[in-house]
Amino acid sequence: MSRLNIELPGLNLKNPVMPASGCFGFGREFSKLYDLNQLGSVMIKATTKEPRFGNPTPRVAETSAGMLNAIGLQNPGLDKVMNEELPWLEQFNLPIIANVAGSREEDYVEVAQTISKAPNVHALELNISCPNVKEGGIAFGTIPEVAKNLTKRVKEVSEVPVYVKLSPNVSNIADMAKAVEDGGADGLTMINTLLGMRIDLKTGKPVLANKSGGLSGPAIKPVAIRMIHEVSQAVSIPIIGMGGIQNAEDVLEYFFAGASAVAVGTANFTDPFVCPKIIEELPVLMDKLGISHISDCRGRSWKTNELFAHNRA
Amino acid sequence: MIKNEKLSVVSHRKLANRIFEMTLCGELVTEMDQPGQFVHIKVSNGVDPLLRRPISISSINSEKKQFTIIYRSEGQGTALLAAKEGGQEIDVLGPLGNGFSEHEAEPGDTAVLVGGGIGVPPLYELSKRLTGKGVTVIHVLGFQTKDAVFYEEEFKKLGETYIATADGTHGTKGFVTDILEKLTVRMDVIYSCGPGPMLKALEQKYGHKKLFLSLEERMGCGIGACFACVCHTADDPEGVSYKKVCSDGPVFRAGEVLL
């Protein structure tokens, strides 16, 4: 499978496909369905210092070609993730990307410092873009200077490379990307969900108990593609792309936009076998399009032909 | 073991107002070992609607590799399902969840099966299994109105069956709890499935007995990964401990989760 391997800061991936954070728990449910070793990596569910129950239900609502969620970062807390979930994941040959969240800067720093010491955590994903918590989360992800400072603080303590997960709910995504690159980020993951709402016709009230939620699924793919197209030309750190990926075609579109790897989120909910299916489909599609290695696809949408030919040589 | 398979529609018919019965055939049936489990159905071939629809299994025929679901055509998703015809294939994930344990009732016991509306279907397979092992089964089924009543004859064949309708157009006027209050039988085990208020009322009155409740909640993945259908545990109502309705339930013992 040498046509699919990808090298990124901290991550030596056998293929560029991984489940996105919050859509895969800590892998236990999916491990009963297929061998997780097939995956490039796993982005584990956001971990906060203390356990969180999350928001009241209903927490999901459907929209055309998408879904809204307002789970609210439910997770068992740092201690349990360190003592139970990560050790359990050690049975697999998987470089783990740990999603780190918090409501205060100190929380992020503490979680990052501790979780980056776990032997199978090869990178952090700094979650400054969750739209569903009252404090923290997105508050850190909408002001470039705040995001930069937080990145810097986390970089100081982390023992592994730090990727910052960007929110699309900003006025200028490239400014955000450049700010966290300045703060020392080793990579970006994008995009998190778009803030949305649905209202129940019978009650006249929002469907979600949290009122608003994060929109994910195929509906947001064009938004992500456009943002990655822009950001990949504005920064020099790699991007793990996500948002509505359902098949191998979508993966290539993300690479063409400028991503160096991809994460699959909501599609895991409709087809729990989607990740291994995509990994299997990819070489077939690459054959069809005459692509010898997946990394040849990166940035094709904006690279000049000469650059492209050079990359392939 | 959870499987994903394209199953063929063997039969599909309307049972009552907006209530449909569909029988499906495929290998996945061999994995079904408990009444009260559900399947997660992809109702469209595309992305609208995106999510699957969780629907409980009402009866299982292992020999023929067939099972039956009964559902109410309510929104966009179930309306699409209602349009499926015999011979068509449907993408099904399942079986999912933990159902009713028939072992909780011993031969010679009396089990009362209480269902409300579209919560009635999973009790049918349960009743067949309980009667099959020598448990006396009594059914107490509640519906909104006469037009919504289904499977009355089927349940009657298995045991005493009482019907309540909210508007009194069929059976007793009122709720299932009105019928239960007048029942003089021994209730060794109570199995129930129905709307939240019904389950709450049952837990209040019969929580001291061996009572099992099957919950309904809006679901995302159906396998325990998305955390859409969580509920608090009863012993930690404000805290962080939780159960997932899809994968820890949907059937819980009374007093286990906060209703």
Side-chain angles (χ1 to χ4, degrees), chain B residues 142-144 163-168 170-179:
Chain B
F143 300 92
Q144 276 302 320
I163 307 281
T165 50
D167 63 2
H170 190 71
T172 306
K173 183 176 177 4
F175 299 108
V176 289
T177 41
D178 299 324
I179 294 176

Side-chain angles (χ1 to χ4, degrees), chain A residues 80-207:
Chain A
K80 215 165 178 185
V81 172
M82 287 299 289
N83 298 326
E84 292 174 26
E85 303 299 344
L86 286 168
W88 178 83
L89 276 162
E90 274 179 39
Q91 65 184 293
F92 304 103
N93 175 27
L94 279 174
I96 304 295
I97 303 175
N99 186 295
V100 172
S103 40
R104 299 173 312 156
E105 196 172 284
E106 302 84 77
D107 299 342
Y108 278 98
V109 169
E110 187 177 339
V111 175
Q113 187 163 28
T114 306
I115 211 164
S116 69
K117 290 190 175 83
N120 51 346
V121 169
H122 289 217
L124 302 186
E125 181 181 45
L126 202 53
N127 187 349
I128 56 167
S129 43
C130 177
N132 297 325
V133 288
K134 284 192 183 67
E135 292 173 345
I138 201 164
F140 289 98
T142 47
I143 305 165
E145 206 54 31
V146 175
K148 179 182 165 178
N149 287 335
L150 183 67
T151 307
K152 224 184 234 172
R153 289 282 312 274
V154 168
K155 270 298 286 179
E156 280 163 16
V157 299
S158 176
E159 304 201 0
V160 295
V162 176
Y163 292 68
V164 179
K165 188 165 189 173
L166 298 185
S167 168
N169 305 302
V170 295
S171 52
N172 190 323
I173 190 77
D175 284 351
M176 286 301 304
K178 282 188 269 190
V180 299
E181 186 182 34
D182 278 353
D186 298 283
L188 302 169
T189 67
M190 59 191 287
I191 59 176
N192 206 319
T193 54
L194 286 143
L195 205 51
M197 184 184 284
R198 267 209 80 176
I199 294 169
D200 187 296
L201 279 187
K202 283 182 198 152
T203 64
K205 303 286 181 210
V207 174

Side-chain angles (χ1 to χ4, degrees), chain A residues 150-294:
Chain A
L150 183 67
T151 307
K152 224 184 234 172
R153 289 282 312 274
V154 168
K155 270 298 286 179
E156 280 163 16
V157 299
S158 176
E159 304 201 0
V160 295
V162 176
Y163 292 68
V164 179
K165 188 165 189 173
L166 298 185
S167 168
N169 305 302
V170 295
S171 52
N172 190 323
I173 190 77
D175 284 351
M176 286 301 304
K178 282 188 269 190
V180 299
E181 186 182 34
D182 278 353
D186 298 283
L188 302 169
T189 67
M190 59 191 287
I191 59 176
N192 206 319
T193 54
L194 286 143
L195 205 51
M197 184 184 284
R198 267 209 80 176
I199 294 169
D200 187 296
L201 279 187
K202 283 182 198 152
T203 64
K205 303 286 181 210
V207 174
L208 297 172
N210 188 52
K211 296 190 180 75
S212 65
L215 177 64
S216 65
I220 72 164
K221 199 186 82 180
V223 179
I225 293 287
R226 193 280 293 176
M227 288 187 163
I228 290 169
H229 179 266
E230 183 180 342
V231 168
S232 61
Q233 296 175 78
V235 298
S236 54
I237 49 177
I239 297 168
I240 301 175
M242 60 197 69
I245 294 175
Q246 301 207 101
N247 49 43
E249 283 83 357
D250 292 338
V251 174
L252 286 196
E253 202 176 336
Y254 267 83
F255 269 80
F256 290 161
S260 297
V262 294
V264 180
T266 304
N268 288 294
F269 299 157
T270 53
D271 178 4
F273 300 93
V274 68
C275 285
K277 270 185 202 165
I278 292 176
I279 294 163
E280 206 180 300
E281 282 171 13
L282 262 177
V284 181
L285 179 64
M286 284 160 61
D287 280 344
K288 216 155 114 189
L289 297 175
I291 297 160
S292 54
H293 196 280
I294 186 86

Side-chain angles (χ1 to χ4, degrees), chain B residues 72-150:
Chain B
R72 183 165 58 209
S73 174
E74 183 84 48
Q76 183 199 9
T78 40
L80 281 170
L81 190 59
K84 304 276 184 196
E85 291 170 2
Q88 273 189 291
E89 287 201 323
I90 299 184
D91 183 328
V92 177
L93 183 73
L96 302 178
N98 297 296
F100 294 109
S101 171
E102 63 225 60
H103 309 297
E104 294 289 342
E106 301 290 332
D109 278 356
T110 298
V112 180
L113 276 52
V114 185
I118 207 60
V120 168
L123 300 178
Y124 185 59
E125 176 68 26
L126 175 66
S127 183
K128 284 201 292 181
R129 294 196 183 198
L130 290 173
T131 50
K133 69 180 242 186
V135 174
T136 303
V137 174
I138 294 170
H139 313 104
V140 179
L141 312 175
F143 300 92
Q144 276 302 320
T145 184
K146 186 185 174 197
D147 293 345
V149 178
F150 60 90

